[in-house]
mmCIF file of all heavy atoms in Angstrom:
data_model
loop_
_atom_site.group_PDB
_atom_site.id
_atom_site.type_symbol
_atom_site.label_atom_id
_atom_site.label_comp_id
_atom_site.label_asym_id
_atom_site.label_seq_id
_atom_site.Cartn_x
_atom_site.Cartn_y
_atom_site.Cartn_z
ATOM 1 N N THR M 329 83.961 88.624 203.767
ATOM 2 C CA THR M 329 84.724 89.928 203.745
ATOM 3 C C THR M 329 86.149 89.782 204.128
ATOM 4 O O THR M 329 87.173 90.214 203.594
ATOM 5 C CB THR M 329 84.120 90.958 204.740
ATOM 6 O OG1 THR M 329 82.771 91.078 204.288
ATOM 7 C CG2 THR M 329 84.837 92.204 204.743
ATOM 8 N N ALA M 330 86.307 88.945 205.213
ATOM 9 C CA ALA M 330 87.695 88.548 205.711
ATOM 10 C C ALA M 330 88.543 87.932 204.508
ATOM 11 O O ALA M 330 89.686 88.149 204.362
ATOM 12 C CB ALA M 330 87.574 87.644 206.816
ATOM 13 N N ASP M 331 87.879 86.885 203.854
ATOM 14 C CA ASP M 331 88.615 86.215 202.750
ATOM 15 C C ASP M 331 88.999 87.229 201.630
ATOM 16 O O ASP M 331 90.029 87.188 201.075
ATOM 17 C CB ASP M 331 87.532 85.222 202.079
ATOM 18 C CG ASP M 331 87.308 83.950 203.009
ATOM 19 O OD1 ASP M 331 88.298 83.704 203.810
ATOM 20 O OD2 ASP M 331 86.494 83.173 202.715
ATOM 21 N N LEU M 332 87.967 88.122 201.435
ATOM 22 C CA LEU M 332 88.270 89.154 200.356
ATOM 23 C C LEU M 332 89.603 89.954 200.832
ATOM 24 O O LEU M 332 90.375 90.344 199.910
ATOM 25 C CB LEU M 332 87.078 90.044 200.215
ATOM 26 C CG LEU M 332 86.813 90.855 198.996
ATOM 27 C CD1 LEU M 332 86.645 89.916 197.756
ATOM 28 C CD2 LEU M 332 85.535 91.844 199.139
ATOM 29 N N LEU M 333 89.711 90.230 202.102
ATOM 30 C CA LEU M 333 90.772 91.030 202.549
ATOM 31 C C LEU M 333 92.059 90.082 202.915
ATOM 32 O O LEU M 333 93.040 90.767 203.327
ATOM 33 C CB LEU M 333 90.409 91.818 203.858
ATOM 34 C CG LEU M 333 89.146 92.944 203.579
ATOM 35 C CD1 LEU M 333 88.901 93.435 204.931
ATOM 36 C CD2 LEU M 333 89.613 93.915 202.623
ATOM 37 N N GLY M 334 91.952 88.982 202.548
ATOM 38 C CA GLY M 334 93.155 88.087 202.853
ATOM 39 C C GLY M 334 93.303 87.582 204.381
ATOM 40 O O GLY M 334 94.464 87.298 204.518
ATOM 41 N N ILE M 335 92.426 87.841 205.153
ATOM 42 C CA ILE M 335 92.598 87.496 206.482
ATOM 43 C C ILE M 335 91.556 86.418 207.018
ATOM 44 O O ILE M 335 91.255 86.461 208.251
ATOM 45 C CB ILE M 335 92.443 88.815 207.481
ATOM 46 C CG1 ILE M 335 91.190 89.505 207.207
ATOM 47 C CG2 ILE M 335 93.650 89.786 207.148
ATOM 48 C CD1 ILE M 335 90.816 90.431 208.248
ATOM 49 N N GLY M 336 91.185 85.668 206.196
ATOM 50 C CA GLY M 336 90.190 84.522 206.547
ATOM 51 C C GLY M 336 90.765 83.695 207.614
ATOM 52 O O GLY M 336 89.919 83.186 208.426
ATOM 53 N N ALA M 337 92.040 83.359 207.739
ATOM 54 C CA ALA M 337 92.580 82.490 208.649
ATOM 55 C C ALA M 337 92.764 83.178 210.050
ATOM 56 O O ALA M 337 93.150 82.590 210.935
ATOM 57 C CB ALA M 337 93.931 82.024 208.189
ATOM 58 N N GLN M 338 92.668 84.638 210.039
ATOM 59 C CA GLN M 338 92.880 85.319 211.245
ATOM 60 C C GLN M 338 91.392 85.779 211.849
ATOM 61 O O GLN M 338 91.286 86.904 212.291
ATOM 62 C CB GLN M 338 93.525 86.640 211.006
ATOM 63 C CG GLN M 338 95.173 86.268 210.824
ATOM 64 C CD GLN M 338 95.840 87.483 210.250
ATOM 65 O OE1 GLN M 338 95.869 87.729 209.150
ATOM 66 N NE2 GLN M 338 96.500 88.152 211.240
ATOM 67 N N THR M 339 90.445 84.919 211.778
ATOM 68 C CA THR M 339 89.068 85.162 212.273
ATOM 69 C C THR M 339 88.820 84.183 213.393
ATOM 70 O O THR M 339 89.275 83.142 213.468
ATOM 71 C CB THR M 339 88.084 85.079 211.101
ATOM 72 O OG1 THR M 339 88.029 83.677 210.712
ATOM 73 C CG2 THR M 339 88.338 86.045 210.090
ATOM 74 N N ILE M 340 87.951 84.699 214.408
ATOM 75 C CA ILE M 340 87.551 83.887 215.463
ATOM 76 C C ILE M 340 85.950 83.970 215.512
ATOM 77 O O ILE M 340 85.470 85.191 215.476
ATOM 78 C CB ILE M 340 88.118 84.378 216.741
ATOM 79 C CG1 ILE M 340 89.615 84.008 216.807
ATOM 80 C CG2 ILE M 340 87.269 83.656 218.002
ATOM 81 C CD1 ILE M 340 90.340 84.275 218.111
ATOM 82 N N LYS M 341 85.158 82.863 215.552
ATOM 83 C CA LYS M 341 83.787 82.944 215.637
ATOM 84 C C LYS M 341 83.368 83.003 217.024
ATOM 85 O O LYS M 341 83.850 82.330 218.007
ATOM 86 C CB LYS M 341 83.207 81.761 214.898
ATOM 87 C CG LYS M 341 81.574 81.660 214.817
ATOM 88 C CD LYS M 341 81.364 80.408 214.090
ATOM 89 C CE LYS M 341 79.891 80.398 213.582
ATOM 90 N NZ LYS M 341 79.590 79.263 212.778
ATOM 91 N N ILE M 342 82.407 83.964 217.425
ATOM 92 C CA ILE M 342 81.735 84.125 218.747
ATOM 93 C C ILE M 342 80.454 83.577 218.551
ATOM 94 O O ILE M 342 79.567 84.218 217.845
ATOM 95 C CB ILE M 342 81.913 85.503 219.230
ATOM 96 C CG1 ILE M 342 83.355 85.974 219.322
ATOM 97 C CG2 ILE M 342 81.325 85.507 220.635
ATOM 98 C CD1 ILE M 342 83.603 87.395 220.053
ATOM 99 N N THR M 343 79.941 82.590 219.425
ATOM 100 C CA THR M 343 78.707 82.086 219.274
ATOM 101 C C THR M 343 77.675 82.934 220.048
ATOM 102 O O THR M 343 78.178 83.761 220.957
ATOM 103 C CB THR M 343 78.540 80.555 219.678
ATOM 104 O OG1 THR M 343 78.937 80.502 221.030
ATOM 105 C CG2 THR M 343 79.478 79.832 218.907
ATOM 106 N N ARG M 344 76.313 82.651 219.844
ATOM 107 C CA ARG M 344 75.407 83.529 220.532
ATOM 108 C C ARG M 344 75.294 83.293 222.089
ATOM 109 O O ARG M 344 74.789 84.142 222.725
ATOM 110 C CB ARG M 344 74.035 83.501 219.984
ATOM 111 C CG ARG M 344 73.838 84.555 218.887
ATOM 112 C CD ARG M 344 72.739 84.143 217.945
ATOM 113 N NE ARG M 344 73.142 83.278 216.897
ATOM 114 C CZ ARG M 344 72.117 82.543 216.267
ATOM 115 N NH1 ARG M 344 70.927 82.647 216.425
ATOM 116 N NH2 ARG M 344 72.552 81.838 215.198
ATOM 117 N N ASP M 345 75.860 82.172 222.552
ATOM 118 C CA ASP M 345 75.956 81.967 223.943
ATOM 119 C C ASP M 345 77.369 82.480 224.476
ATOM 120 O O ASP M 345 77.789 82.002 225.516
ATOM 121 C CB ASP M 345 75.580 80.514 224.484
ATOM 122 C CG ASP M 345 76.572 79.542 223.662
ATOM 123 O OD1 ASP M 345 77.229 79.951 222.755
ATOM 124 O OD2 ASP M 345 76.418 78.370 223.900
ATOM 125 N N ILE M 346 78.028 83.356 223.840
ATOM 126 C CA ILE M 346 79.196 84.104 224.085
ATOM 127 C C ILE M 346 80.314 82.994 224.375
ATOM 128 O O ILE M 346 80.917 82.970 225.471
ATOM 129 C CB ILE M 346 78.957 85.038 225.225
ATOM 130 C CG1 ILE M 346 77.720 85.802 225.143
ATOM 131 C CG2 ILE M 346 80.166 85.965 225.292
ATOM 132 C CD1 ILE M 346 77.545 86.704 224.041
ATOM 133 N N GLN M 347 80.548 82.188 223.413
ATOM 134 C CA GLN M 347 81.681 81.232 223.408
ATOM 135 C C GLN M 347 82.500 81.460 222.291
ATOM 136 O O GLN M 347 81.992 81.889 221.079
ATOM 137 C CB GLN M 347 81.201 79.841 223.399
ATOM 138 C CG GLN M 347 80.204 79.439 224.398
ATOM 139 C CD GLN M 347 80.916 79.183 225.799
ATOM 140 O OE1 GLN M 347 82.045 78.790 225.965
ATOM 141 N NE2 GLN M 347 80.155 79.510 226.843
ATOM 142 N N LEU M 348 83.927 81.284 222.299
ATOM 143 C CA LEU M 348 84.758 81.398 221.141
ATOM 144 C C LEU M 348 84.660 79.883 220.511
ATOM 145 O O LEU M 348 84.838 78.940 221.138
ATOM 146 C CB LEU M 348 86.168 81.681 221.644
ATOM 147 C CG LEU M 348 86.448 83.120 222.274
ATOM 148 C CD1 LEU M 348 87.782 83.127 222.660
ATOM 149 C CD2 LEU M 348 85.911 84.175 221.405
ATOM 150 N N GLU M 349 84.316 79.879 219.063
ATOM 151 C CA GLU M 349 84.171 78.609 218.488
ATOM 152 C C GLU M 349 85.506 78.189 217.834
ATOM 153 O O GLU M 349 85.753 77.039 217.438
ATOM 154 C CB GLU M 349 82.963 78.639 217.546
ATOM 155 C CG GLU M 349 82.591 77.297 217.195
ATOM 156 C CD GLU M 349 81.224 77.299 216.418
ATOM 157 O OE1 GLU M 349 81.475 77.433 215.082
ATOM 158 O OE2 GLU M 349 80.292 77.326 216.950
#
Side-chain angles (χ1 to χ4, degrees):
T329 301
D331 284 340
L332 204 62
L333 298 175
I335 55 163
Q338 287 171 275
T339 60
I340 292 184
K341 186 175 192 175
I342 303 185
T343 62
R344 269 167 276 161
D345 53 354
I346 321 292
Q347 304 283 329
L348 300 177
E349 198 173 88

